[in-house]
Amino acid sequence: MTKPLFRKVVIFGVGLIGGSFALALRRMNAVDEVVGFGRSAQTLVQAQQLGIINRSGSDLAAELGDADLVLLATPVGQMAEIMARIAPHLGAHTLITDGGSTKCDVVNDAYKHLAAHISRFIPAHPIAGSEQSGATSARADLYQNKKVILTPLPENSTDTVARVRLAWELCGALVSELTPKQHDEVFAAVSHLPHLLSFALVHDLAQRENRDLLLSFAASGFRDFTRIAASSPEMWRDISLANRDALLIEMGRYMSELETLRNALAEADGNKLEEIFSIARSVRSNWTSQ
Amino acid sequence: MTKPLFRKVVIFGVGLIGGSFALALRRMNAVDEVVGFGRSAQTLVQAQQLGIINRSGSDLAAELGDADLVLLATPVGQMAEIMARIAPHLGAHTLITDGGSTKCDVVNDAYKHLAAHISRFIPAHPIAGSEQSGATSARADLYQNKKVILTPLPENSTDTVARVRLAWELCGALVSELTPKQHDEVFAAVSHLPHLLSFALVHDLAQRENRDLLLSFAASGFRDFTRIAASSPEMWRDISLANRDALLIEMGRYMSELETLRNALAEADGNKLEEIFSIARSVRSNWTSQ
């Protein structure tokens, strides 16, 4: 038997992201032991029953000194606090990575709270979101052929980046690299904005007196457009706040775009409407999700 | 053998909507002969090869006098012209229905151009849209368990409405009734607005210099949110113009909603964001498409 990549992995947050990472590494025999921490004792018990973790941890000092890898897989709003709590106990060789959907804020938090360990903190964002959450939605194949973006820091050595990259590749992911700022701008446009727009549409309809009538006639277009409006409110509150600057720019752009559409409609400018729809259709039809 | 419901059905526009109606009726042996009219000779040849129509028509006067049912299944922008052309030739017993996605405008056109036949015009809207279009996308089971909304007119007799209802039911559809105005308000909210929002997002991204980079990181949330942005530009131009008043009201509401969200984000008001997201998630999670 070859030696596993990691002897001990410690995961904070054993839900969809953290739980699936653990299941994938365990299935590949890439880890001897997975220890879980989390806010909910019940979730940790469930995660153990589901074979996600070997056991739940209780003593940070006891668990972190000999950990090979720590994954922070909580909503981004909790990461600063967890970083501050784990920093005193991390081993001299412990790698740290995360699964946060935003990167500039997590990197800022890391410079502040993980300063002594910053060379071993390799930020990551697995693009495997789902409107589902919780340990029960974790799956060993969640990352299969999904993109994971690393946003390495200047302080990271090539070796540490390669090791974290390998962990995600063992999970089946296609790993690429961006700077934290590039990452946040890209995801404000293609992920965070669409989530806000979808939440906004359903919230708008939810306020109506005739809501039930409206929803009874909603069909497949509505179904797909609003699938992401069933996502975790807490997670998306945190993402929105964490990527506020880039997201405000995207919202501004989008509202101008709507203003253009509204004017074209108010003026019954069919050519303008058709031009906008045609460009959109052409780009969307040529795009395929990887 | 029982007698089929219709001896002769004439269809204008043998694409997704009209073609699927023909295929469904033929499969149920509910019609002896289907005759197709359309702008493109090539499409009509294709429709005949696909078993959608028995033959393409060339002479309105010859085909309409003995037709039991005429279905107008063109984009709504073409309906007025077709109504004006067919009116002189319709038989005294010919029923007329349509598959338009908006109803007030079609009804107005009918009062204007089908005046002598208005008692036999029963407007309909099959909720079985797709981003696909054309004869090749027609399917005999398109309407299976899909909603079809009739918006009967005061001039319609119970018998004529029942007969058109039966035709859609034989296609497998679940038929309900609204007034034309109710219909247009409902669909502005749950269908037309989401389509415009989806087109707007893709059009916005399409303008960017880094469009390819952005799209390379777009994932399943983007995929579903923008599926309807691949819909027919011509059809959605016509729908937007036809339902302009209701759609402008919906756009105004939605832009206020976005303004609220943007303010909450600008003020980093996490509670407000989470409240909006939570209401949306709750309503969306409890909704199931029928």
Side-chain angles (χ1 to χ4, degrees), chain A residues 71-72 79 96-100 102-103 106 121-126 168:
Chain A
L71 171 67
L72 308 178
M79 287 201 187
I96 311 110
T97 187
D98 76 303
T102 52
K103 296 272 68 77
V106 172
F121 176 64
I122 295 90
H125 175 200
W168 284 110

Side-chain angles (χ1 to χ4, degrees), chain A residues 78-128:
Chain A
Q78 297 168 39
M79 287 201 187
E81 186 206 326
I82 294 175
M83 288 175 180
R85 281 170 49 216
I86 66 174
H89 309 295
L90 290 166
H93 300 288
T94 308
L95 298 176
I96 311 110
T97 187
D98 76 303
S101 304
T102 52
K103 296 272 68 77
C104 288
D105 65 316
V106 172
V107 167
N108 284 342
D109 290 342
Y111 277 113
K112 191 165 166 192
H113 299 293
L114 292 178
H117 310 280
I118 200 73
S119 66
R120 289 173 280 106
F121 176 64
I122 295 90
H125 175 200
I127 316 302

Side-chain angles (χ1 to χ4, degrees), chain B residues 136-265:
Chain B
T136 51
S137 53
R139 305 190 331 249
D141 66 349
L142 181 72
Y143 301 115
Q144 201 63 44
N145 296 317
K146 295 284 161 55
K147 289 196 168 127
V148 169
I149 299 163
L150 302 184
T151 63
L153 308 178
E155 292 83 352
N156 297 156
S157 71
T158 313
D159 274 4
T160 55
V161 175
R163 215 165 144 76
V164 169
R165 173 186 276 263
L166 181 56
W168 285 109
E169 286 173 347
L170 286 173
C171 295
L174 311 167
V175 181
S176 54
E177 295 185 15
L178 292 173
T179 69
K181 187 160 186 296
Q182 280 176 327
H183 171 279
D184 284 4
E185 287 169 0
V186 166
F187 284 88
V190 302
S191 171
H192 308 167
L193 177 65
H195 276 79
L196 258 63
L197 300 179
S198 184
F199 279 127
L201 181 78
V202 180
H203 183 257
D204 177 11
L205 297 182
Q207 308 304 305
R208 318 276 183 107
E209 274 184 25
N210 65 345
R211 165 175 109 180
D212 293 341
L213 175 77
L214 292 173
L215 291 174
S216 76
F217 287 108
S220 61
F222 177 86
R223 179 194 65 212
D224 291 352
F225 185 92
T226 61
R227 182 180 62 77
I228 49 181
S231 303
S232 159
E234 182 187 15
M235 177 179 153
W236 283 95
R237 175 202 65 195
D238 287 355
I239 290 175
S240 302
L241 294 175
N243 200 16
R244 188 161 65 123
D245 294 344
L247 192 45
L248 282 171
I249 291 171
E250 289 300 329
M251 287 193 83
R253 282 192 68 126
Y254 187 78
M255 289 165 86
S256 303
E257 178 79 31
L258 281 192
E259 200 60 56
T260 304
L261 256 186
R262 179 162 71 171
N263 290 341
L265 187 59

Side-chain angles (χ1 to χ4, degrees), chain A residues 127 129 131-133 147 149 176-178 182 185-187 189-191 193-208 210-211 213-234 236-237 240-241 243-244 247-248 250-255 257-259 261-271 273-285 287-290, chain B residues 127 129 131-133 147 149 176-178 182 185-187 189-191 193-208 210-211 213-234 236-237 240-241 243-244 247-248 250-255 257-259 261-271 273-285 287-290:
Chain A
I127 316 302
E131 71 281 15
Q132 299 179 314
S133 54
K147 287 195 169 133
I149 297 162
S176 55
E177 296 184 15
L178 292 173
Q182 279 176 327
E185 287 170 359
V186 166
F187 284 88
V190 300
S191 171
L193 176 66
H195 276 79
L196 258 64
L197 300 180
S198 184
F199 279 127
L201 180 78
V202 180
H203 183 258
D204 176 12
L205 297 182
Q207 310 302 307
R208 318 277 183 105
N210 64 345
R211 166 175 108 180
L213 175 76
L214 292 173
L215 290 174
S216 76
F217 287 108
S220 61
F222 177 86
R223 178 194 66 210
D224 292 351
F225 186 92
T226 60
R227 183 180 62 77
I228 50 181
S231 304
S232 160
E234 183 188 14
W236 283 95
R237 175 202 64 195
S240 302
L241 295 174
N243 201 17
R244 187 162 64 122
L247 192 45
L248 281 171
E250 288 300 330
M251 288 192 82
R253 281 191 69 126
Y254 188 77
M255 289 163 86
E257 177 80 30
L258 282 192
E259 199 61 54
L261 256 186
R262 180 163 67 171
N263 289 341
L265 187 58
E267 292 160 16
D269 184 346
N271 289 338
L273 293 174
E274 191 175 357
E275 181 198 323
I276 292 172
F277 300 167
S278 295
I279 290 170
R281 179 194 216 183
S282 161
V283 169
R284 178 57 178 79
S285 299
W287 175 82
T288 44
S289 63
Q290 275 101 27
Chain B
I127 316 302
E131 71 280 15
Q132 299 179 313
S133 55
K147 289 196 168 127
I149 299 163
S176 54
E177 295 185 15
L178 292 173
Q182 280 176 327
E185 287 169 0
V186 166
F187 284 88
V190 302
S191 171
L193 177 65
H195 276 79
L196 258 63
L197 300 179
S198 184
F199 279 127
L201 181 78
V202 180
H203 183 257
D204 177 11
L205 297 182
Q207 308 304 305
R208 318 276 183 107
N210 65 345
R211 165 175 109 180
L213 175 77
L214 292 173
L215 291 174
S216 76
F217 287 108
S220 61
F222 177 86
R223 179 194 65 212
D224 291 352
F225 185 92
T226 61
R227 182 180 62 77
I228 49 181
S231 303
S232 159
E234 182 187 15
W236 283 95
R237 175 202 65 195
S240 302
L241 294 175
N243 200 16
R244 188 161 65 123
L247 192 45
L248 282 171
E250 289 300 329
M251 287 193 83
R253 282 192 68 126
Y254 187 78
M255 289 165 86
E257 178 79 31
L258 281 192
E259 200 60 56
L261 256 186
R262 179 162 71 171
N263 290 341
L265 187 59
E267 292 160 16
D269 185 346
N271 290 336
L273 293 174
E274 192 175 357
E275 181 199 323
I276 292 172
F277 299 166
S278 295
I279 290 170
R281 179 195 214 181
S282 162
V283 169
R284 178 56 178 80
S285 299
W287 175 82
T288 43
S289 64
Q290 275 104 27

Side-chain angles (χ1 to χ4, degrees), chain B residues 14-124:
Chain B
V14 290
L16 178 72
I17 296 297
S20 296
F21 183 79
L23 285 174
L25 287 185
R26 292 185 74 176
R27 186 168 71 168
M28 294 297 288
N29 295 315
V31 56
D32 278 337
E33 186 179 36
V34 178
V35 179
F37 282 89
R39 284 184 303 181
S40 152
Q42 197 192 340
T43 301
L44 288 166
V45 169
Q46 209 171 31
Q48 192 170 341
Q49 284 165 351
L50 292 166
I52 293 171
I53 57 176
N54 295 89
R55 57 189 175 79
S56 59
S58 53
D59 183 349
L60 287 176
E63 301 294 357
L64 293 174
D66 65 345
D68 296 309
L69 177 72
V70 169
L71 170 67
L72 308 178
T74 62
V76 286
Q78 296 167 37
M79 287 200 188
E81 188 208 326
I82 294 175
M83 288 174 179
R85 280 170 48 216
I86 66 174
H89 310 294
L90 290 166
H93 301 287
T94 308
L95 298 176
I96 312 110
T97 187
D98 76 303
S101 305
T102 51
K103 294 272 70 77
C104 288
D105 64 315
V106 173
V107 167
N108 284 342
D109 289 342
Y111 277 113
K112 191 164 167 193
H113 299 293
L114 292 178
H117 310 279
I118 200 73
S119 66
R120 289 173 280 109
F121 176 63
I122 295 92

